Structures are given as C-alpha cells and as structure tokens.
Amino acid sequence: MSDINLLKPVAVFEQLFERQIRLEDRRNQEHAAISVAVNVLQSCHGSSLVKIGNTEVICGAKVKVLPDAVDAGSVVANVELTSLSNRTIHPNTGITKEAQFLSSALQRLITNSVCPDTAKDLNIYSETSSQQPVGSYVIKLDAVVLHDDGCLLDACTSAALATLLSLSWPQLFSPKEVSGGDGDARESVSKQYRPTVPTRMRTLSVSDWPVTFSFCFVPLTVAQHCGISPLICQPSRRELTLWDTDAGPGYITVSSLSKNVLELSMTNAFLPGLSSKLKPTERSSQVDGLSPWKALLEASSAYALEMKTAIQDALGTASIK
C-alpha cells in the first residue's frame, strides 16, 4: 500500500476497490447495524442511547419553565463532540465545526419537521381558564457523541427523535392568572406553577419521524471499472479516511411516515431543488445516470422503516417496564 499514494486518484480507487471495497464487512448498499434504547438516564424527562455501526450517541431532554411567556415554547437542541469520542479532537479545543453543523442540522429538523407547532403546544394555562396561557415549557435537548465512527447525523437524528418520543413530564398550571405588573413575576416558579392533582403527565406532540441516512459516491469510472455500484451506504469514518475522498459524506433525510425526502445535503451544502424532485420508484435494472439516486432513495427509505421499527420496539419495551 505504500506506493499507492504515488498513483493518480482514480488508480488509487481502482486498486483499493479491486482488493477490498469496505472495512465493515458490509455490502456497498447495506446499512450499519441499529440499536436503540430509551429512558436510559433517570435525571432526564426523556432520554435514549442509539448505536449505528460503531457510533454511539446518548441523548437526554429536560423540561424547563419560562414564566410569563406566552406562545414561547421551543425545543433547543445541542450536539457535543468530546475528545473521548474521536482521537482527532483534542481537549479544550472548544466547539468544533462538525459539532456546530450537527447542532444546526438537528435544530432545523426538529423545528421544521418533528415539532413545527411547538410554540403553542407547550403553553402553560391558568387554573381558571384553559384558554388563557400564562407561561411556556422549554425543552433542552442535549446529544453527546460517545464514540464517533461516522454516521454522526444519522445517530444524532434518531437519538433526538427517540428522546422526544419518550419525553414525559408533570403537567403544570398556574393557581391564579399571572400578570407582569403585580409582583407575581417575582414569585418562585414553584409557587407560580404547580403540578395538577392528581398528577397528569404531559407528552410532546410529534408531527413527523425523520430519519437521516449518510452516503457517499465513488467516481463513476471506478465503479464501472470494478463492476460495483457507485453508491456506498453509511460509510464509517475509517472508510472515509482510507478512501481519502475530497468530498465528505452526503446526508439524505427521509420521513419514516410518508417516505418523502425532507432534506438532501452533500459536503454540508443544502440542495433543496434536487431533493424535492426525488420520488420513490420501482427498482429497475436499467443502468443510467440516475440509477445511483434511485438506489439511494430505495436504501434510505428501507433504512427509515427499520429505524422506525427499532424506536417503536424500544418505546414498547420501556412502557412494559
């Protein structure tokens, strides 16, 4: 392998894929193994642990009260990459660009797809009127990458979804209508807002179940030379490092409920025009310029259904306990 670096890039790909396509003992279009568990953190109102391949993400959510704020409920997402998850991250380096990208992408999915009507759904009402909001809930969601071997957005999206679906907290009400100018705002939150008697638990209204699926394409000339598909599903970080591709992995986010494509990005570049034109199609043996995209849509849709089933099974197991 020492002389491969002296060859042209296409020749590097050809020699590499003629010997061994993947390091993960998976076929090109085979997704990584999935594992989902919920309610893994007793200190949170909702939590999950998701493993995709060798990548592990733990996620927790806590519900806070925003006094006197009406229609101000929200879900605030944050992703943390620690030095323990990836040896390329040094301690005390601050927030990495990848963590910023993951946090931004996760926040966008939650706001636009998972909980688009959160502001009004998370209102707190007074004791005298179920129509008069006097405060709001704010959900703080944190995802921490325990081990990074690629598929980070895949794991973070599914961990956040499983956490929000497992979320429950005591419903609060205001014993009296709170106004901003009569001194009530200075009272402690525990006096302003109290649990119902008997205690009723609140859950979050979730509109969609988005599932993210990472991928990459090898050069078409290499795929034709080696007789393989140019589509590689859920490449690991080790594989991307070995291939040393200029372009990073792409991400496609599919609704596991409607099978519609919600987002498509490559090297962190958003491509809304292209994603809106992708539709599920019948599998075809015809080889043309669009066949890799058809294969991607089929693979991501099948993966989304498997992830949905895994989350449902985890939620069902947790409810039995």
Side-chain angles (χ1 to χ4, degrees):
M1 294 289 289
S2 60
D3 60 338
I4 288 185
N5 292 328
L6 302 177
L7 302 176
K8 297 293 184 181
V10 170
V12 173
F13 274 105
E14 290 177 352
Q15 287 199 18
L16 180 62
F17 289 131
E18 282 177 347
R19 299 179 187 182
Q20 182 180 8
I21 297 177
R22 307 200 65 167
L23 299 177
E24 305 301 317
D25 294 327
R26 287 189 278 133
R27 297 186 301 275
N28 285 15
Q29 297 179 21
E30 181 181 355
H31 66 74
I34 297 171
S35 174
V36 180
V38 297
N39 296 336
V40 296
L41 297 174
Q42 295 184 358
S43 59
C44 297
H45 293 108
S47 60
S48 68
L49 176 64
V50 170
K51 184 175 181 181
I52 298 179
N54 292 321
T55 295
E56 287 186 87
V57 173
I58 192 168
C59 185
K62 291 185 177 182
V63 180
K64 305 292 184 180
V65 173
L66 194 60
D68 307 328
V70 176
D71 294 342
S74 63
V75 179
V76 181
N78 179 66
V79 178
E80 183 178 352
L81 275 166
T82 67
S83 58
L84 297 177
S85 65
N86 189 328
R87 63 182 181 181
T88 63
I89 301 177
H90 300 287
N92 304 321
T93 56
I95 302 175
T96 64
K97 290 184 178 180
E98 188 166 22
Q100 292 177 340
F101 162 72
L102 292 170
S103 298
S104 175
L106 190 59
Q107 184 68 62
R108 184 174 62 248
L109 280 174
I110 292 174
T111 303
N112 295 340
S113 301
V114 182
C115 307
D117 301 318
T118 305
K120 293 185 177 180
D121 185 51
L122 292 179
N123 277 329
I124 303 173
Y125 294 92
S126 68
E127 183 179 21
T128 57
S129 173
S130 60
Q131 304 298 321
Q132 178 61 45
V134 293
S136 297
Y137 300 105
V138 175
I139 299 171
K140 184 67 169 64
L141 184 144
D142 289 296
V144 179
V145 179
L146 301 180
H147 183 69
D148 171 16
D149 190 29
C151 307
L152 280 184
L153 188 56
D154 311 30
C156 289
T157 301
S158 296
L161 177 61
T163 296
L164 294 176
L165 289 169
S166 70
L167 190 67
S168 66
W169 68 96
Q171 181 171 328
L172 303 178
F173 73 97
S174 176
K176 53 184 176 179
E177 293 189 9
V178 180
S179 61
D182 60 0
D184 288 338
R186 292 190 295 270
E187 294 179 349
S188 66
V189 172
S190 61
K191 291 183 178 180
Q192 276 187 273
Y193 307 100
R194 301 175 185 173
T196 58
V197 179
T199 301
R200 293 197 299 269
M201 301 301 290
R202 279 287 309 265
T203 58
L204 185 66
S205 177
V206 173
S207 299
D208 203 349
W209 290 33
V211 175
T212 300
F213 187 72
S214 57
F215 65 93
C216 69
F217 290 121
V218 300
L220 187 59
T221 54
V222 176
Q224 293 173 343
H225 175 81
C226 300
I228 63 173
S229 167
L231 172 65
I232 307 292
C233 293
Q234 291 191 312
S236 68
R237 187 171 293 277
R238 293 184 300 156
E239 288 176 327
L240 291 174
T241 302
L242 177 63
W243 299 337
D244 194 24
T245 56
D246 293 331
Y251 296 99
I252 183 171
T253 301
V254 179
S255 167
S256 59
L257 301 181
S258 66
K259 299 183 181 179
N260 290 331
V261 176
L262 303 178
E263 286 192 3
L264 175 66
S265 64
M266 296 185 68
T267 58
N268 304 345
F270 190 49
L271 305 174
L274 180 58
S275 65
S276 64
K277 293 180 173 58
L278 290 176
K279 300 293 181 183
T281 58
E282 296 295 330
R283 185 179 296 274
S284 173
S285 59
Q286 181 181 1
V287 178
D288 54 36
L290 289 179
S291 58
W293 293 104
K294 293 179 182 179
L296 172 62
L297 190 57
E298 291 172 355
S300 59
S301 298
Y303 172 79
L305 292 179
E306 288 196 36
M307 179 58 74
K308 175 186 174 184
T309 300
I311 294 176
Q312 288 175 327
D313 290 345
L315 293 170
T317 302
S319 64
I320 294 175
K321 293 180 179 179

